[in-house]
Amino acid sequence: MTKGKGKKKTSLQSGREQFTMKIVTSDRCEVCKTPCTRGMDYVERMSQPGAVGNGVPCILTRTKLGR
């Protein structure tokens, strides 16, 4: 039997921690308990007739990548 190769952990080359945030839509921003300026600007833009949007990154959902 041969041993399977596992995933190799990669280290951050820049030396800085990296973070990720979830993308939220305007309906989620409207009911947020701690509204931010980015979210409120997005809600305002989406309230215009014919507006199309893909969401904005939410700072409240920030998580650290890697270890």
Side-chain angles (χ1 to χ4, degrees):
M1 292 190 128
T2 61
K3 290 186 180 180
K5 293 184 179 180
K7 275 194 168 182
K8 184 179 178 183
K9 282 193 177 181
T10 58
S11 62
L12 301 176
Q13 292 184 2
S14 66
R16 292 184 3 182
E17 295 177 339
Q18 293 181 344
F19 296 92
T20 183
M21 293 184 267
K22 292 182 182 177
I23 303 296
V24 296
T25 55
S26 59
D27 59 340
R28 188 74 173 171
C29 287
E30 288 175 348
V31 296
C32 184
K33 293 179 182 178
T34 55
C36 61
T37 56
R38 179 189 287 173
M40 293 298 102
D41 290 343
Y42 182 67
V43 168
E44 186 178 323
R45 285 195 314 265
M46 292 301 106
S47 66
Q48 303 299 321
V52 177
N54 295 326
V56 292
C58 180
I59 192 69
L60 300 174
T61 61
R62 186 176 90 154
T63 58
K64 189 191 298 188
L65 289 178
R67 287 188 162 179

